């Protein structure tokens, strides 16, 4: 998801102009953030597991 | 489109730039001292030696491979064309600095600054991997970072497609990051996050209920002394980067030094105030992290912000570090003894974005500048983070990064080096008692 979001940002910059450019770049960034959140969740220590 | 050539420096500017670059190792020394002081006493010598080793290895790998990929503004590079616009994605220099005259030219100064910067960035993850990261594995990770990850992204920021979004697409000035908040600080912070995820928390850090236990640093004096060294090094880093990559005239160095100092001061005071209000007393280790965070955040816009804006950047950076340290430790179960992720990753991100808000530019639209700075952050999250994480996982697969449990209990000084940092006293730790 992070890579996909980055590609959306790049595509927006390269192919679009004005308002759609900003909107798609922000959408790509949101996709990246969702990917980061998933990555963070997957690295949480589960309850009951002692380190 | 061919990128603009590197500016021609006067002899005075080149001499001043060289002097500033020579200050950068102080930042590395300061970070090493901070990381050592925030770790346990039984790992102090290991931390200092690790810092020296990764700095040395990063410099060597950068000389052999890294500079060929990073290059310098106006230097040879590979490009591809999209709708008539060039996307400069990687430099095409020779390995071993071949063909690079080391004579004080802007290209040679950029190579020297790159050598220092990559060493500084390589030290950042040591803080988050403290007390459990094997020296050999840290060296291998550093080699990969210095050969590929850092040079690629540094090229994008200072001479590649991100730098040219202004001239190619009319988006502001292109990415503005004179002091390397993105390629040095955030890339180092991302590496720290990847290392922390792969290593896991220190033994005894979390209970079975996922509650974090306090493992205080062993030497607050070393930590706070490190802050002064870091300050000196950052002044050199920001000024040299601004002269070489932001085309700032030498006289602008005064503004840059004022901005760096004010940002660090505001961040540290913000942390002191917040911890005083929340906990009744200012927290020394958080204040140190706040100081560095202010410097990190001011790096990107040091040459284009008025001093009052630098103070705002510092204030926010200080608040950010206080709350992200808590967020990482309490809620995300990320054990980061040196605070590297909060300081360098979050502080760096904030600094890159703050340029669009508080930077003063002679021309170019503000919304375009926001978009460029966002593209820089997106590249870090979308490519550098997954790439770094994958490379760290790969290293860990062939060379386990975490020290054995008995080594962690004994301390890395004795386990890996055979001698402690403080042979005249014995510390008694209860970190491994059942809780």
């Amino acid at each position: 998801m992070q890579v996909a979001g980055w590609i959306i940002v790049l595509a927006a910059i390269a192919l679009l102009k004005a308002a759609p450019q900003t909107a798609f770049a922000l959408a790509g960034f949101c996709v990246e953030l969702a990917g980061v959140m998933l990555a963070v969740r997957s690295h949480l220590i589960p309850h009951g597991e002692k380190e | 489109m061919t990128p603009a050539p590197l500016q021609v420096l006067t002899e005075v500017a080149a001499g001043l730039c060289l002097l500033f670059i020579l200050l950068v190792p102080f930042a590395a020394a300061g970070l090493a001292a901070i990381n050592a002081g925030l770790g346990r006493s039984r790992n102090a010598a290991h931390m200092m030696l690790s810092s020296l080793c990764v700095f040395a290895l990063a410099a060597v790998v950068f000389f052999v491979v890294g500079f060929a990929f990073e290059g310098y503004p106006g230097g040879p590079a590979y490009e591809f064309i999209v709708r008539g616009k060039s996307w400069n994605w990687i430099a095409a220099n020779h390995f071993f600095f071949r063909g690079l005259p080391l004579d004080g030219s802007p290209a040679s100064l950029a190579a020297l600054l790159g050598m220092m910067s990559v060493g500084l960035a390589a030290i950042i993850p040591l803080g988050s991997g403290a007390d459990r990261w094997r020296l050999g594995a840290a060296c291998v990770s550093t080699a990969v970072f210095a050969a590929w990850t850092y040079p690629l992204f540094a090229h994008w920021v200072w001479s590649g497609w991100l730098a040219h979004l202004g001239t190619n697409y009319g988006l502001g000035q292109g990415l503005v990051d004179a002091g390397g908040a993105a390629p040095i600080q955030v890339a180092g912070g991302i590496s720290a996050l990847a290392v922390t995820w792969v290593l896991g928390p220190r033994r005894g850090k979390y209970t079975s209920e996922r509650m974090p236990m306090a493992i205080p640093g062993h030497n607050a004096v070393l930590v706070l002394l490190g802050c002064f060294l870091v300050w000196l090094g950052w002044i050199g880093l920001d000024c040299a980067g601004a002269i070489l990559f932001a085309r700032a005239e030498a006289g602008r160095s005064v503004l840059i030094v004022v901005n760096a100092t004010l940002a660090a001061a505001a961040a540290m005071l913000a942390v002191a105030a917040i911890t005083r209000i929340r906990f009744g007393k200012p927290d020394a280790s958080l204040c140190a992290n706040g100081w560095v965070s202010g410097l990190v955040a001011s790096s990107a816009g040091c040459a284009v912000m008025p001093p009052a804006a630098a103070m705002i950047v510092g204030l926010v950076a200080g608040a950010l570090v206080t709350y992200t340290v808590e967020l990482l430790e309490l809620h995300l179960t990320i054990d980061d003894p040196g605070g590297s992720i909060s300081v360098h990753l979050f502080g760096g991100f904030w600094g890159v974005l703050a340029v669009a808000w508080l930077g003063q530019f002679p021309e170019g639209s503000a919304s375009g500048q926001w978009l460029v700075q966002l593209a820089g952050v997106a590249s870090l999250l979308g490519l550098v983070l997954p790439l770094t994480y994958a490379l760290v996982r790969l290293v860990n697969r062939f060379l386990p990064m975490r020290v054995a449990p008995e080594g962690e209990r004994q301390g890395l000084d004795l386990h890996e080096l055979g001698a402690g940092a403080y042979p005249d006293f014995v510390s008694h730790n209860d970190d491994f008692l059942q809780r």
Side-chain angles (χ1 to χ4, degrees), chain B residues 182-344:
Chain B
I184 303 172
Q185 310 306 331
V186 181
I190 281 175
S191 187
L193 178 64
V195 163
T196 312
W197 273 343
V198 171
L199 286 174
R202 290 170 289 179
R203 293 186 188 281
K205 178 65 187 174
Y206 289 98
T207 66
S208 55
E209 288 78 34
R210 224 166 71 178
M211 281 301 295
M213 308 304 294
I215 304 179
H218 84 282
N219 192 334
V221 176
L222 195 59
V223 173
L224 296 172
L225 176 65
C227 290
F228 286 101
L229 294 175
V230 162
W231 178 33
L232 195 58
W234 236 267
I235 286 170
L237 181 65
D238 287 353
C239 290
I243 291 172
L244 283 173
F245 304 125
R247 295 165 192 275
E249 63 273 24
R252 212 167 176 80
S253 305
V254 179
L255 172 73
I256 296 168
V257 175
V258 168
N259 281 350
T261 306
L262 285 177
M268 198 279 285
L269 292 174
V271 174
I274 292 170
T275 51
R276 170 74 177 77
I277 291 166
R278 293 187 69 198
F279 311 127
K281 290 175 183 172
D283 184 293
S285 64
L286 275 176
C287 285
N289 276 337
W291 177 267
V292 184
S293 179
L295 291 169
V296 167
S298 71
S299 295
C302 59
V304 294
M305 282 182 188
M311 279 188 72
I312 295 173
V313 169
L315 281 172
V316 175
L320 201 61
V321 82
T322 313
Y323 291 104
T324 52
V325 160
E326 195 172 301
L327 171 78
L328 294 176
E329 183 172 315
L330 272 180
H331 303 291
L332 304 183
T333 60
I334 291 174
D335 181 18
D336 179 10
S340 302
I341 300 168
S342 300
V343 171
H344 298 276

Side-chain angles (χ1 to χ4, degrees), chain A residues 2 6 15 32 43 45 48 51, chain B residues 208 210 333 378-379 381 389:
Chain A
Q2 286 161 259
W6 180 58
L15 304 175
E32 283 189 20
H43 287 90
I45 299 171
E51 284 291 327
Chain B
S208 55
R210 224 166 71 178
T333 60
S379 302
L381 285 178
Y389 182 68

